[in-house]
Amino acid sequence: ALVISVPLGFFGGIGAASKIGVLVKGSNYLEAVAEMTTIVFDKTGTLTKGEFKVTDVITENGSKEELIELAALGEGYSNHPIANSIREAYGKELDLNRVTNTEEIAGHGIHTFIDGREVYLGNAKLMDAQNIAYTENKTAGTVVYVVCNNVFAGSIVISDTVKEGSKDAIRDMKQVGVKKTVMLTGDRQAAADAVAAELGIDEVHAELLPADKVGQVEKLLGAQNEKERLAFVGDGINDAPVLTRADIGIAMGSMGSDAAIEAADIVLMDDDIRKIASLVKIARKTLGIVKQNIVFALAVKALVLLLGALGMANMWEAVFADVGVSVIAILNSMRTLNTK
């Protein structure tokens, strides 16, 4: 009864999850989801659409057209969503023969040469690291600072939009018993705070490098007790180490990178994070049914064993304790498939 019904209960739970478009890679992850109390989100592409648009161009030296052209050429070799949005705002064909010696500085930006002029494109950390005097742009959104020959040229503001259903997803998760929601992002604090306030997220950590995200998850894991579980939801290639480190790694299936999907324990096939709350309900119902089977099977067998020892059990009661209990436990396990 136990050997058949317990795995079957978990298989049924995994089947119920697959019906709503969630791939669970093992029964141990389904069990962990039922015990999840903290959920950590990457911002871009997970809570937001990752569809960046240039919303403002502020110049200090030169015209807006020159600033956008410099930025578009500098980002010409990048496939990052921010780079795509800058090229889209420029709107003309790029002559990348004008660009030489492009170097990406991880978590900071790009160093390149355009028409022989030295150009830096990136965040405030890049400006500080290169000791370049710049005017801080405090607009909510991602800001790319542009420097040409060590002279600050201006800044470009790029904004992302929150995904439909993200707010509902956070609310639903809290309703099913998730105690803490956390957002991690490499974006600026102002942009991160604006998204967190809109969605009702409890804790925000901004301006993080990919390695910093692992450090933040380590801290959150250290603050939990043994029975609590932490999930991380991400989509990018730089989320793979965090997905591996969390108790439960959840990746986006349609827009997520192959590395993130490979590293994750659970994959949302259509990127809808509202399904996480549904998955928690399925996991808890599955665990409940599995526990029912364990208690029922052991209790009936113990009772018949006792009656047998006292000479009060007949053959039919023994048959029920063996085959009958197995059949009932299997039928009970099959209920997990029908979790709504």
Side-chain angles (χ1 to χ4, degrees), residues 297-312:
L298 293 179
V300 171
K301 285 176 188 291
L303 178 64
V304 174
L305 191 69
L306 182 63
L307 291 173
L310 297 172
M312 297 166 66

Side-chain angles (χ1 to χ4, degrees), residues 103-137:
E103 174 197 4
E104 184 176 343
I105 304 165
H108 289 70
I110 285 172
H111 174 223
T112 188
F113 289 84
I114 300 169
D115 299 331
R117 295 175 292 170
E118 188 178 26
V119 174
Y120 284 98
L121 302 164
N123 55 23
K125 288 180 183 175
L126 180 65
M127 301 296 105
D128 295 335
Q130 300 301 322
N131 294 317
I132 296 164
Y134 68 101
T135 305
E136 188 179 359
N137 188 328

Side-chain angles (χ1 to χ4, degrees), residues 23-337:
L23 171 65
V24 182
K25 295 185 181 179
S27 56
N28 50 333
Y29 305 124
L30 198 67
E31 189 173 357
V33 166
E35 298 168 348
M36 179 178 71
T37 53
T38 303
I39 186 159
V40 183
F41 296 93
D42 175 52
K43 181 175 83 70
T44 307
T46 304
L47 294 172
T48 61
K49 290 181 180 178
E51 295 173 1
F52 292 92
K53 302 283 181 190
V54 171
T55 53
D56 201 6
V57 180
I58 297 151
T59 59
E60 294 253 336
N61 291 289
S63 66
K64 287 186 177 182
E65 289 74 20
E66 288 170 343
L67 189 70
I68 283 283
E69 184 181 30
L70 269 181
L73 285 165
E75 300 279 10
Y77 291 107
S78 175
N79 60 1
H80 193 280
I82 288 173
N84 295 339
S85 69
I86 290 172
R87 290 196 297 267
E88 192 180 306
Y90 179 56
K92 299 175 188 173
E93 197 168 328
L94 294 171
D95 179 8
L96 294 178
N97 293 321
R98 296 166 60 188
V99 184
T100 54
N101 298 332
T102 299
E103 174 197 4
E104 184 176 343
I105 304 165
H108 289 70
I110 285 172
H111 174 223
T112 188
F113 289 84
I114 300 169
D115 299 331
R117 295 175 292 170
E118 188 178 26
V119 174
Y120 284 98
L121 302 164
N123 55 23
K125 288 180 183 175
L126 180 65
M127 301 296 105
D128 295 335
Q130 300 301 322
N131 294 317
I132 296 164
Y134 68 101
T135 305
E136 188 179 359
N137 188 328
K138 294 185 178 179
T139 312
T142 300
V143 176
V144 176
Y145 296 105
V146 183
V147 175
C148 184
N149 285 337
N150 284 324
V151 176
F152 180 60
S155 57
I156 298 167
V157 181
I158 297 136
S159 296
D160 193 6
T161 52
V162 171
K163 271 186 184 177
E164 292 168 17
S166 290
K167 191 172 183 177
D168 296 337
I170 301 295
R171 186 196 64 226
D172 292 347
M173 282 176 220
K174 289 183 177 177
Q175 284 177 351
V176 296
V178 175
K179 294 176 187 173
K180 185 193 276 188
T181 54
V182 183
M183 186 174 78
L184 306 181
T185 178
D187 220 337
R188 293 185 318 135
Q189 192 70 50
D193 288 341
V195 171
E198 186 178 341
L199 299 179
I201 286 174
D202 303 320
E203 195 176 308
V204 182
H205 300 280
E207 298 177 23
L208 300 174
L209 298 175
D212 298 333
K213 291 181 181 179
V214 179
Q216 289 293 342
V217 167
E218 292 276 8
K219 284 182 191 174
L220 290 163
L221 285 166
Q224 294 189 136
N225 66 41
E226 283 184 19
K227 291 186 178 179
E228 293 179 327
R229 294 288 177 266
L230 179 142
F232 178 80
V233 190
D235 70 316
I237 191 165
N238 60 354
D239 294 327
V242 203
L243 287 163
T244 306
R245 182 63 193 90
D247 294 320
I248 312 143
I250 304 174
M252 301 292 158
S254 65
M255 294 294 285
S257 70
D258 290 347
I261 292 166
E262 183 68 30
D265 309 312
I266 294 167
V267 183
L268 306 176
M269 301 312 293
D270 59 358
D271 297 354
D272 187 353
I273 59 170
R274 285 174 291 192
K275 289 182 177 174
I276 297 172
S278 302
L279 180 63
V280 172
K281 290 177 185 172
I282 289 169
R284 286 182 182 161
K285 184 173 180 183
T286 300
L287 230 61
I289 287 172
V290 165
K291 285 173 183 173
Q292 285 170 18
N293 285 344
I294 293 168
V295 171
F296 174 68
L298 293 179
V300 171
K301 285 176 188 291
L303 178 64
V304 174
L305 191 69
L306 182 63
L307 291 173
L310 297 172
M312 297 166 66
N314 60 29
M315 181 60 74
W316 290 113
E317 284 163 352
V319 170
F320 174 75
D322 184 38
V323 180
V325 166
S326 296
V327 171
I328 292 168
I330 289 165
L331 292 172
N332 193 36
S333 290
M334 289 172 69
R335 286 171 50 223
T336 56
L337 275 168

